[in-house]
Amino acid sequence: MMVVETYHNLAVLCIFFTIALGGLILLIATNLFKGKQKKQSYLIEKTDNDTLVDSQLRKKPVRVYLDGCWDVMHSGHYNALRQAKALGDILVVGVHSDEEIARNKREPVMKNEQRMAAVKSCKWADEVVFDVPYSPSIALLDELKCDYCAHGDDMPVAANGKSAYDAVMDRLKIFRRTPGISTTHLIQRLIDAANQPSIQSLNNSLTKPTRSASWSSFLPSSHRISAFSNNTVPKKDDTVIYIDGVFDLFHVGHISALKAAKKMGTFLYVGLYNDDIVRKIMGNCFPIQSLQERVLNVLSCKYVDDVIIGCPFEISESTIKSLHISKVILTKNTLIASNNLERYSYPKKIGILETIETESDFTTKTLMRRIVNDREKLQQQNKNRVEKAKKYVEEQTYVEEQ
Ligand code: CTP
């Protein structure tokens, strides 16, 4: 009887211990799970970039690094910035110094300050870093907390003869280089324009049109325009600002005008004159960039909401009413037909024309003067680049655009 009772007590004790052990294991497992959940929530990283949406904030944002010379900014550069941004969440843009570009490529036409301003104003650039090396390293990517380095499918060769991106191959993402547009093209067009006698004296009489670089053509498509567009319209309460012009060779002077114009309201329309109008007024050498190229450049600027492609030269009552314009802006640096501002007489009459100062006095004339003075040196330096560009056209393979 005693033995049976002892066995019974032992069994009760065993059951009690098993239940207690089970409970303990359950408690530990629950806490571990909670701990894990807490740890995951730490993965949310704070970022200054307010374009990130909630779903992107919940995971660690992917940081992409894209460097470049960004000399005489063009729509190929802007499309590179757009595609690189699409490869991650935050785009960190490296800008080489004048000395680094001269050492590895050729002397830049646009200097440090002008190239930095062009990149900083681009709507796809989240962070901009100046004076980065021509050949990036893993240490640089880590220092900038970048997961990837991006580049177009044209690998540059550094001064030492090696591919400039060898060291970051494991973290390299390649996007499609935009065909038919490059600084080399633009410099060639500028040199051709600078060789016209009327440009050398910087007067605007009619001259032969310049359209060199027939080895590759600019190919604007509706996809490209839609990829660059903000797809937005003014809301009822918006204060709509309108500024028009040529915006050829989009530079720091244009950017500072657009920045100042945007400050005057909440929605900025930029009107771009068509090529015929520009040619008639400025001579056959202009515009250096076609209307389609100019449209893409202006759309890349963060101060711009929308553009009017081939806008009317004269700002009429119907234009003002149709676009709900509150203010028309004219800057002190306006070059085109600056001695005849008849086209602004209606906005002036109704009291909505405002002439403003801007931060930069850089104009297309400043750039042309630089080209005229340096054209022989530039022609010499550009020769190799033209050969390289032709070789790229011959050898290019298919890479899908982002
Ligand atoms: N890029 C591009 N499409 C172009 C021109 C440049 O995608 N038509 C890309 C390059 O592949 C690079 C970035 O833009 O990733 C910066 O280019 P940059 O260093 O300024 O020089 P290049 O590639 O030589 O451009 P360019 O010939 O216009 O000077």
Side-chain angles (χ1 to χ4, degrees), residues 68-70 74 76-77 80 105 151-152 154 175 177-178 181-183:
C69 307
W70 317 112
H74 53 68
H77 288 142
K105 199 171 174 183
H151 199 278
D154 55 312
F175 55 82
R177 184 180 167 88
T178 307
I181 178 81
S182 67
T183 304

Side-chain angles (χ1 to χ4, degrees), residues 34-134:
K34 272 189 189 160
K36 242 192 179 162
Q37 274 191 326
K38 229 183 192 172
K39 221 175 181 182
Q40 259 179 11
S41 68
Y42 286 129
L43 287 179
I44 297 175
E45 286 199 1
K46 285 222 181 286
T47 160
D48 292 341
N49 189 337
D50 56 8
T51 62
L52 284 182
V53 291
D54 260 8
S55 60
Q56 285 167 312
L57 277 170
R58 257 178 254 131
K59 59 182 174 60
K60 186 175 176 287
V62 174
R63 292 171 64 88
V64 177
Y65 174 73
L66 175 68
D67 62 9
C69 307
W70 317 112
D71 190 19
V72 195
M73 277 299 265
H74 53 68
S75 60
H77 288 142
Y78 290 120
N79 202 31
L81 293 160
R82 184 189 68 77
Q83 292 188 80
K85 168 89 181 192
L87 292 169
D89 302 310
I90 294 181
L91 180 61
V92 182
V93 188
V95 180
H96 306 307
S97 67
D98 293 346
E99 296 74 28
E100 186 72 344
I101 300 173
R103 206 170 21 250
N104 291 282
K105 199 171 174 183
R106 73 176 149 225
E107 263 175 55
V109 173
M110 295 291 196
K111 304 302 171 203
N112 290 333
E113 200 191 317
Q114 292 134 19
R115 292 181 296 102
M116 276 294 282
V119 174
K120 273 191 191 164
S121 72
C122 174
K123 64 183 174 191
W124 294 293
D126 297 300
E127 294 172 25
V128 184
V129 195
F130 178 62
D131 199 9
V132 290
Y134 201 74

Side-chain angles (χ1 to χ4, degrees), residues 181-401:
I181 178 81
S182 67
T183 304
T184 306
H185 274 93
L186 289 178
I187 291 181
Q188 201 52 52
R189 284 188 213 164
L190 281 162
I191 293 170
D192 290 349
N195 282 333
Q196 303 277 348
S198 62
I199 300 294
Q200 281 166 37
S201 58
L202 287 168
N203 75 46
N204 293 331
S205 63
L206 289 185
T207 42
K208 276 207 309 303
T210 61
R211 276 288 173 268
S212 58
S214 56
W215 33 273
S216 181
S217 317
F218 180 67
L219 305 166
S221 63
S222 64
H223 167 266
R224 185 70 45 73
I225 293 190
S226 108
F228 275 52
S229 166
N230 293 315
N231 287 315
T232 180
V233 287
K235 305 280 172 294
K236 199 169 171 232
D237 298 336
D238 270 323
T239 306
V240 178
I241 305 297
Y242 184 79
I243 185 168
D244 61 359
V246 187
F247 297 94
D248 200 10
L249 301 159
F250 198 58
H251 53 64
V252 59
H254 298 132
I255 293 162
S256 61
L258 297 179
K259 184 179 176 188
K262 180 62 184 268
K263 275 195 188 143
M264 311 293 291
T266 55
F267 191 102
L268 179 62
Y269 269 125
V270 183
L272 288 123
Y273 303 140
N274 70 38
D275 297 345
D276 281 346
I277 291 182
V278 182
R279 262 194 293 275
K280 256 187 219 139
I281 298 168
M282 298 181 77
N284 271 346
C285 290
F286 295 101
I288 300 288
Q289 292 181 302
S290 68
L291 176 61
Q292 291 93 336
E293 292 175 273
R294 293 182 280 122
V295 160
L296 294 175
N297 294 345
V298 171
L299 276 177
S300 309
C301 179
K302 64 181 173 190
Y303 307 116
V304 176
D305 294 287
D306 203 1
V307 295
I308 303 298
I309 307 170
C311 66
F313 191 57
E314 195 175 316
I315 304 175
S316 64
E317 181 178 3
S318 91
T319 303
I320 304 265
K321 291 222 165 110
S322 307
L323 298 176
H324 296 286
I325 296 169
S326 304
K327 232 173 226 155
V328 174
I329 302 295
L330 192 59
T331 74
K332 292 234 163 95
N333 297 329
T334 297
L335 278 185
I336 187 158
S338 50
N339 49 0
N340 181 2
L341 298 176
E342 247 324 91
R343 61 192 188 276
Y344 297 104
S345 56
Y346 181 73
K348 191 171 177 193
K349 190 175 105 191
I350 61 167
I352 63 164
L353 181 70
E354 194 148 337
T355 306
I356 57 167
E357 301 264 359
T358 67
E359 283 167 19
S360 165
D361 57 3
F362 193 96
T363 67
T364 309
K365 240 182 192 167
T366 325
L367 177 59
M368 281 316 288
R369 235 176 241 124
R370 210 175 265 178
I371 301 284
V372 168
N373 292 339
D374 288 350
R375 66 184 188 283
E376 269 157 37
K377 189 171 73 187
L378 282 169
Q379 180 75 68
Q380 197 51 38
Q381 291 180 348
N382 216 36
K383 240 181 177 168
N384 294 341
R385 307 296 309 173
V386 171
E387 288 316 310
K388 189 179 169 261
K390 283 184 184 166
K391 195 159 176 272
Y392 167 77
V393 171
E394 277 162 27
E395 293 172 0
Q396 68 180 315
T397 53
Y398 183 76
V399 179
E400 193 176 317
E401 183 157 342

